[in-house]
Amino acid sequence: MLLYLARRLLMMVPLLLGITLISFVVIHLAPGEPTDLQTELNPEASVELKQRLRSQYDLDKPLLTQYGLWLSRLARLDFGNSFSQDRRPVAGKIAERLPVTIAINVLSIVLILLVATPIGVLSAVKRNSLFDRATTIFVFVGFAMPSFWLALLLMDFLGARLGIFPISGIKSLGFDYLSPAAQVWDVVHHLILPVLVSSFGGLAGFSRYMRSNMLDVIRQDYILTARAKGLSERTVIYRHALRNALLPVITILGLSVPGLIGGSVIFETIFAIPGMGKLFFDSVMMRDYPVIMGVLVMGAVLTLAGNLIADVSYALADPRIRNN
């Protein structure tokens, strides 16, 4: 198992380097530079000023040289300083925003597991029933509905019209004056809509995948044997069938991490949540290259870590994989 884990860790290094190289090149090839925002709106900005700014940001150097300088800082775990007015370290900005994004994504994954698993199991057990047909409609709606459109609908109906949930931020204006219990509830109250939006598409896909796995498992011979022994249907389904149907789901959970992180950009921007997604969106608009690369690296690391956890979990469940 340690050898399998070591091989997987070594494979992550070239993958991470490839991701950073491609991202760095694409970002710098995009139209516009950080200096444009500082000089174009200033009528007194001269060409010499723009050149000095480009030199200050190392933008006057060849692209591969810029990447080499950035990579050398990354090797020291230094993401550099932001190009924005505050010139703050990128690591500090990410450290402020990362817990919010991780908390929302973890809550979304937990909600997906708690809701989609029983839906998929019941759909498989009650195949072609009214419940199965209703969940099929739910799946099609979940796949077809864009998350940003669902977010706007919920904000308008549950937030603006009914006033049940707040529609922006994660804290109320008087947050500092609330009691500790009230502060916790205030944060939870603000996160309900974002978590629902973040998990809606995953609920649809995961429940359908769970249904497919259960249908394959309950047709196996050992399920027929368990029923022939006189075991109750509940024991057969939840003790024998479900445990085996969950094994392929481990891989799906690992692969779902990139989608959740990428989706953070959408709902964090819509709900004005100060997370990594909102930081990434603002940085792209400002052409803040160090922050963009810092967020992309953190997203890549989390994605690779999620896939590694999925591979290791699957290897623990199936010894044949780690012996290959």
Side-chain angles (χ1 to χ4, degrees), residues 64-86:
L64 289 180
T65 303
Q66 295 181 46
Y67 177 72
L69 293 173
W70 177 85
L71 199 60
S72 64
R73 290 194 300 267
L74 182 64
R76 303 190 301 268
L77 301 180
D78 179 16
F79 291 108
N81 294 328
S82 171
F83 286 170
S84 60
Q85 299 274 338
D86 55 16

PDB file of all heavy atoms in Angstrom, residues 64-86:
ATOM      1  N   LEU A  64       8.627  32.515 -20.785  1.00  0.00           N
ATOM      2  CA  LEU A  64       9.221  31.390 -20.069  1.00  0.00           C
ATOM      3  C   LEU A  64      10.075  31.863 -18.893  1.00  0.00           C
ATOM      4  O   LEU A  64      10.157  31.188 -17.860  1.00  0.00           O
ATOM      5  CB  LEU A  64      10.053  30.534 -21.019  1.00  0.00           C
ATOM      6  CG  LEU A  64       9.262  29.714 -22.048  1.00  0.00           C
ATOM      7  CD1 LEU A  64      10.209  28.908 -22.931  1.00  0.00           C
ATOM      8  CD2 LEU A  64       8.265  28.781 -21.360  1.00  0.00           C
ATOM      9  N   THR A  65      10.712  33.033 -19.056  1.00  0.00           N
ATOM     10  CA  THR A  65      11.478  33.585 -17.938  1.00  0.00           C
ATOM     11  C   THR A  65      10.556  33.970 -16.790  1.00  0.00           C
ATOM     12  O   THR A  65      10.868  33.729 -15.614  1.00  0.00           O
ATOM     13  CB  THR A  65      12.281  34.816 -18.400  1.00  0.00           C
ATOM     14  OG1 THR A  65      13.133  34.443 -19.486  1.00  0.00           O
ATOM     15  CG2 THR A  65      13.124  35.382 -17.263  1.00  0.00           C
ATOM     16  N   GLN A  66       9.414  34.572 -17.139  1.00  0.00           N
ATOM     17  CA  GLN A  66       8.431  34.915 -16.102  1.00  0.00           C
ATOM     18  C   GLN A  66       7.948  33.652 -15.388  1.00  0.00           C
ATOM     19  O   GLN A  66       7.809  33.638 -14.155  1.00  0.00           O
ATOM     20  CB  GLN A  66       7.239  35.635 -16.735  1.00  0.00           C
ATOM     21  CG  GLN A  66       7.552  36.980 -17.345  1.00  0.00           C
ATOM     22  CD  GLN A  66       6.315  37.634 -17.921  1.00  0.00           C
ATOM     23  OE1 GLN A  66       5.252  37.660 -17.286  1.00  0.00           O
ATOM     24  NE2 GLN A  66       6.425  38.167 -19.131  1.00  0.00           N
ATOM     25  N   TYR A  67       7.703  32.590 -16.159  1.00  0.00           N
ATOM     26  CA  TYR A  67       7.241  31.348 -15.548  1.00  0.00           C
ATOM     27  C   TYR A  67       8.315  30.757 -14.641  1.00  0.00           C
ATOM     28  O   TYR A  67       8.024  30.242 -13.553  1.00  0.00           O
ATOM     29  CB  TYR A  67       6.862  30.341 -16.633  1.00  0.00           C
ATOM     30  CG  TYR A  67       6.446  28.992 -16.080  1.00  0.00           C
ATOM     31  CD1 TYR A  67       5.233  28.829 -15.429  1.00  0.00           C
ATOM     32  CD2 TYR A  67       7.288  27.886 -16.205  1.00  0.00           C
ATOM     33  CE1 TYR A  67       4.854  27.592 -14.916  1.00  0.00           C
ATOM     34  CE2 TYR A  67       6.919  26.650 -15.705  1.00  0.00           C
ATOM     35  CZ  TYR A  67       5.696  26.510 -15.057  1.00  0.00           C
ATOM     36  OH  TYR A  67       5.327  25.280 -14.550  1.00  0.00           O
ATOM     37  N   GLY A  68       9.584  30.841 -15.083  1.00  0.00           N
ATOM     38  CA  GLY A  68      10.673  30.333 -14.258  1.00  0.00           C
ATOM     39  C   GLY A  68      10.797  31.091 -12.947  1.00  0.00           C
ATOM     40  O   GLY A  68      11.015  30.489 -11.893  1.00  0.00           O
ATOM     41  N   LEU A  69      10.638  32.419 -13.000  1.00  0.00           N
ATOM     42  CA  LEU A  69      10.689  33.217 -11.776  1.00  0.00           C
ATOM     43  C   LEU A  69       9.531  32.857 -10.846  1.00  0.00           C
ATOM     44  O   LEU A  69       9.715  32.734  -9.624  1.00  0.00           O
ATOM     45  CB  LEU A  69      10.648  34.709 -12.123  1.00  0.00           C
ATOM     46  CG  LEU A  69      11.873  35.261 -12.861  1.00  0.00           C
ATOM     47  CD1 LEU A  69      11.613  36.710 -13.298  1.00  0.00           C
ATOM     48  CD2 LEU A  69      13.107  35.190 -11.970  1.00  0.00           C
ATOM     49  N   TRP A  70       8.350  32.692 -11.437  1.00  0.00           N
ATOM     50  CA  TRP A  70       7.180  32.334 -10.612  1.00  0.00           C
ATOM     51  C   TRP A  70       7.365  30.941 -10.013  1.00  0.00           C
ATOM     52  O   TRP A  70       7.038  30.709  -8.841  1.00  0.00           O
ATOM     53  CB  TRP A  70       5.919  32.377 -11.472  1.00  0.00           C
ATOM     54  CG  TRP A  70       4.699  31.949 -10.727  1.00  0.00           C
ATOM     55  CD1 TRP A  70       3.903  32.719  -9.934  1.00  0.00           C
ATOM     56  CD2 TRP A  70       4.133  30.627 -10.709  1.00  0.00           C
ATOM     57  NE1 TRP A  70       2.882  31.963  -9.413  1.00  0.00           N
ATOM     58  CE2 TRP A  70       3.001  30.680  -9.867  1.00  0.00           C
ATOM     59  CE3 TRP A  70       4.471  29.426 -11.316  1.00  0.00           C
ATOM     60  CZ2 TRP A  70       2.205  29.567  -9.625  1.00  0.00           C
ATOM     61  CZ3 TRP A  70       3.695  28.312 -11.075  1.00  0.00           C
ATOM     62  CH2 TRP A  70       2.570  28.392 -10.241  1.00  0.00           C
ATOM     63  N   LEU A  71       7.911  30.010 -10.804  1.00  0.00           N
ATOM     64  CA  LEU A  71       8.095  28.641 -10.323  1.00  0.00           C
ATOM     65  C   LEU A  71       9.139  28.589  -9.211  1.00  0.00           C
ATOM     66  O   LEU A  71       9.001  27.807  -8.253  1.00  0.00           O
ATOM     67  CB  LEU A  71       8.513  27.738 -11.483  1.00  0.00           C
ATOM     68  CG  LEU A  71       8.330  26.224 -11.289  1.00  0.00           C
ATOM     69  CD1 LEU A  71       6.867  25.895 -11.036  1.00  0.00           C
ATOM     70  CD2 LEU A  71       8.832  25.479 -12.513  1.00  0.00           C
ATOM     71  N   SER A  72      10.159  29.422  -9.312  1.00  0.00           N
ATOM     72  CA  SER A  72      11.172  29.449  -8.255  1.00  0.00           C
ATOM     73  C   SER A  72      10.579  29.958  -6.943  1.00  0.00           C
ATOM     74  O   SER A  72      10.938  29.472  -5.862  1.00  0.00           O
ATOM     75  CB  SER A  72      12.351  30.322  -8.678  1.00  0.00           C
ATOM     76  OG  SER A  72      11.952  31.677  -8.840  1.00  0.00           O
ATOM     77  N   ARG A  73       9.669  30.933  -7.031  1.00  0.00           N
ATOM     78  CA  ARG A  73       8.991  31.397  -5.811  1.00  0.00           C
ATOM     79  C   ARG A  73       8.057  30.327  -5.272  1.00  0.00           C
ATOM     80  O   ARG A  73       7.948  30.135  -4.052  1.00  0.00           O
ATOM     81  CB  ARG A  73       8.209  32.686  -6.105  1.00  0.00           C
ATOM     82  CG  ARG A  73       9.082  33.901  -6.369  1.00  0.00           C
ATOM     83  CD  ARG A  73       8.262  35.180  -6.309  1.00  0.00           C
ATOM     84  NE  ARG A  73       7.199  35.198  -7.301  1.00  0.00           N
ATOM     85  CZ  ARG A  73       7.323  35.721  -8.513  1.00  0.00           C
ATOM     86  NH1 ARG A  73       8.476  36.268  -8.891  1.00  0.00           N
ATOM     87  NH2 ARG A  73       6.323  35.702  -9.368  1.00  0.00           N
ATOM     88  N   LEU A  74       7.372  29.617  -6.180  1.00  0.00           N
ATOM     89  CA  LEU A  74       6.459  28.558  -5.741  1.00  0.00           C
ATOM     90  C   LEU A  74       7.204  27.450  -5.017  1.00  0.00           C
ATOM     91  O   LEU A  74       6.681  26.868  -4.066  1.00  0.00           O
ATOM     92  CB  LEU A  74       5.703  27.990  -6.944  1.00  0.00           C
ATOM     93  CG  LEU A  74       4.673  26.890  -6.643  1.00  0.00           C
ATOM     94  CD1 LEU A  74       3.543  27.437  -5.780  1.00  0.00           C
ATOM     95  CD2 LEU A  74       4.120  26.298  -7.934  1.00  0.00           C
ATOM     96  N   ALA A  75       8.424  27.154  -5.455  1.00  0.00           N
ATOM     97  CA  ALA A  75       9.229  26.125  -4.788  1.00  0.00           C
ATOM     98  C   ALA A  75       9.521  26.503  -3.340  1.00  0.00           C
ATOM     99  O   ALA A  75       9.729  25.626  -2.496  1.00  0.00           O
ATOM    100  CB  ALA A  75      10.533  25.907  -5.552  1.00  0.00           C
ATOM    101  N   ARG A  76       9.507  27.804  -3.045  1.00  0.00           N
ATOM    102  CA  ARG A  76       9.691  28.277  -1.664  1.00  0.00           C
ATOM    103  C   ARG A  76       8.353  28.526  -0.978  1.00  0.00           C
ATOM    104  O   ARG A  76       8.304  29.174   0.068  1.00  0.00           O
ATOM    105  CB  ARG A  76      10.509  29.569  -1.657  1.00  0.00           C
ATOM    106  CG  ARG A  76      11.873  29.444  -2.320  1.00  0.00           C
ATOM    107  CD  ARG A  76      12.727  30.685  -2.056  1.00  0.00           C
ATOM    108  NE  ARG A  76      12.091  31.899  -2.539  1.00  0.00           N
ATOM    109  CZ  ARG A  76      12.286  32.406  -3.759  1.00  0.00           C
ATOM    110  NH1 ARG A  76      13.081  31.770  -4.625  1.00  0.00           N
ATOM    111  NH2 ARG A  76      11.691  33.518  -4.122  1.00  0.00           N
ATOM    112  N   LEU A  77       7.268  28.020  -1.602  1.00  0.00           N
ATOM    113  CA  LEU A  77       5.904  28.217  -1.091  1.00  0.00           C
ATOM    114  C   LEU A  77       5.558  29.703  -0.996  1.00  0.00           C
ATOM    115  O   LEU A  77       4.869  30.140  -0.070  1.00  0.00           O
ATOM    116  CB  LEU A  77       5.717  27.533   0.262  1.00  0.00           C
ATOM    117  CG  LEU A  77       5.952  26.020   0.285  1.00  0.00           C
ATOM    118  CD1 LEU A  77       5.738  25.476   1.691  1.00  0.00           C
ATOM    119  CD2 LEU A  77       5.049  25.311  -0.703  1.00  0.00           C
ATOM    120  N   ASP A  78       6.020  30.461  -1.979  1.00  0.00           N
ATOM    121  CA  ASP A  78       5.763  31.896  -2.040  1.00  0.00           C
ATOM    122  C   ASP A  78       5.011  32.183  -3.335  1.00  0.00           C
ATOM    123  O   ASP A  78       5.558  32.007  -4.432  1.00  0.00           O
ATOM    124  CB  ASP A  78       7.079  32.676  -1.994  1.00  0.00           C
ATOM    125  CG  ASP A  78       6.858  34.185  -2.073  1.00  0.00           C
ATOM    126  OD1 ASP A  78       5.710  34.626  -1.865  1.00  0.00           O
ATOM    127  OD2 ASP A  78       7.839  34.910  -2.357  1.00  0.00           O
ATOM    128  N   PHE A  79       3.764  32.607  -3.211  1.00  0.00           N
ATOM    129  CA  PHE A  79       2.957  32.941  -4.383  1.00  0.00           C
ATOM    130  C   PHE A  79       3.188  34.369  -4.867  1.00  0.00           C
ATOM    131  O   PHE A  79       2.578  34.787  -5.849  1.00  0.00           O
ATOM    132  CB  PHE A  79       1.463  32.751  -4.084  1.00  0.00           C
ATOM    133  CG  PHE A  79       1.066  31.319  -3.898  1.00  0.00           C
ATOM    134  CD1 PHE A  79       0.744  30.837  -2.646  1.00  0.00           C
ATOM    135  CD2 PHE A  79       1.013  30.447  -4.968  1.00  0.00           C
ATOM    136  CE1 PHE A  79       0.373  29.513  -2.464  1.00  0.00           C
ATOM    137  CE2 PHE A  79       0.642  29.128  -4.803  1.00  0.00           C
ATOM    138  CZ  PHE A  79       0.321  28.652  -3.543  1.00  0.00           C
ATOM    139  N   GLY A  80       4.033  35.111  -4.195  1.00  0.00           N
ATOM    140  CA  GLY A  80       4.280  36.493  -4.592  1.00  0.00           C
ATOM    141  C   GLY A  80       3.273  37.445  -3.985  1.00  0.00           C
ATOM    142  O   GLY A  80       2.461  37.071  -3.125  1.00  0.00           O
ATOM    143  N   ASN A  81       3.313  38.687  -4.450  1.00  0.00           N
ATOM    144  CA  ASN A  81       2.403  39.728  -3.985  1.00  0.00           C
ATOM    145  C   ASN A  81       1.382  40.061  -5.064  1.00  0.00           C
ATOM    146  O   ASN A  81       1.661  39.955  -6.269  1.00  0.00           O
ATOM    147  CB  ASN A  81       3.166  40.997  -3.598  1.00  0.00           C
ATOM    148  CG  ASN A  81       4.065  40.791  -2.398  1.00  0.00           C
ATOM    149  OD1 ASN A  81       3.745  40.000  -1.505  1.00  0.00           O
ATOM    150  ND2 ASN A  81       5.193  41.479  -2.373  1.00  0.00           N
ATOM    151  N   SER A  82       0.222  40.465  -4.615  1.00  0.00           N
ATOM    152  CA  SER A  82      -0.845  40.825  -5.536  1.00  0.00           C
ATOM    153  C   SER A  82      -0.477  42.078  -6.321  1.00  0.00           C
ATOM    154  O   SER A  82       0.248  42.947  -5.850  1.00  0.00           O
ATOM    155  CB  SER A  82      -2.139  41.050  -4.757  1.00  0.00           C
ATOM    156  OG  SER A  82      -3.149  41.594  -5.590  1.00  0.00           O
ATOM    157  N   PHE A  83      -0.994  42.189  -7.564  1.00  0.00           N
ATOM    158  CA  PHE A  83      -0.803  43.379  -8.377  1.00  0.00           C
ATOM    159  C   PHE A  83      -1.795  44.486  -8.021  1.00  0.00           C
ATOM    160  O   PHE A  83      -1.728  45.576  -8.592  1.00  0.00           O
ATOM    161  CB  PHE A  83      -0.975  43.040  -9.862  1.00  0.00           C
ATOM    162  CG  PHE A  83       0.185  42.283 -10.444  1.00  0.00           C
ATOM    163  CD1 PHE A  83       0.099  41.728 -11.719  1.00  0.00           C
ATOM    164  CD2 PHE A  83       1.359  42.114  -9.734  1.00  0.00           C
ATOM    165  CE1 PHE A  83       1.165  41.036 -12.268  1.00  0.00           C
ATOM    166  CE2 PHE A  83       2.424  41.409 -10.271  1.00  0.00           C
ATOM    167  CZ  PHE A  83       2.328  40.870 -11.544  1.00  0.00           C
ATOM    168  N   SER A  84      -2.714  44.208  -7.103  1.00  0.00           N
ATOM    169  CA  SER A  84      -3.731  45.206  -6.749  1.00  0.00           C
ATOM    170  C   SER A  84      -3.115  46.310  -5.903  1.00  0.00           C
ATOM    171  O   SER A  84      -1.926  46.292  -5.582  1.00  0.00           O
ATOM    172  CB  SER A  84      -4.880  44.533  -5.994  1.00  0.00           C
ATOM    173  OG  SER A  84      -4.411  43.925  -4.809  1.00  0.00           O
ATOM    174  N   GLN A  85      -3.946  47.258  -5.520  1.00  0.00           N
ATOM    175  CA  GLN A  85      -3.456  48.434  -4.797  1.00  0.00           C
ATOM    176  C   GLN A  85      -2.840  48.070  -3.450  1.00  0.00           C
ATOM    177  O   GLN A  85      -1.879  48.693  -3.010  1.00  0.00           O
ATOM    178  CB  GLN A  85      -4.619  49.411  -4.574  1.00  0.00           C
ATOM    179  CG  GLN A  85      -5.253  49.938  -5.845  1.00  0.00           C
ATOM    180  CD  GLN A  85      -4.542  51.151  -6.400  1.00  0.00           C
ATOM    181  OE1 GLN A  85      -3.847  51.836  -5.662  1.00  0.00           O
ATOM    182  NE2 GLN A  85      -4.713  51.415  -7.671  1.00  0.00           N
ATOM    183  N   ASP A  86      -3.380  47.065  -2.775  1.00  0.00           N
ATOM    184  CA  ASP A  86      -2.870  46.755  -1.434  1.00  0.00           C
ATOM    185  C   ASP A  86      -1.521  46.032  -1.453  1.00  0.00           C
ATOM    186  O   ASP A  86      -0.808  46.032  -0.449  1.00  0.00           O
ATOM    187  CB  ASP A  86      -3.893  45.918  -0.654  1.00  0.00           C
ATOM    188  CG  ASP A  86      -4.302  44.656  -1.400  1.00  0.00           C
ATOM    189  OD1 ASP A  86      -3.592  44.267  -2.357  1.00  0.00           O
ATOM    190  OD2 ASP A  86      -5.328  44.059  -1.045  1.00  0.00           O
TER     191      ASP A  86
END
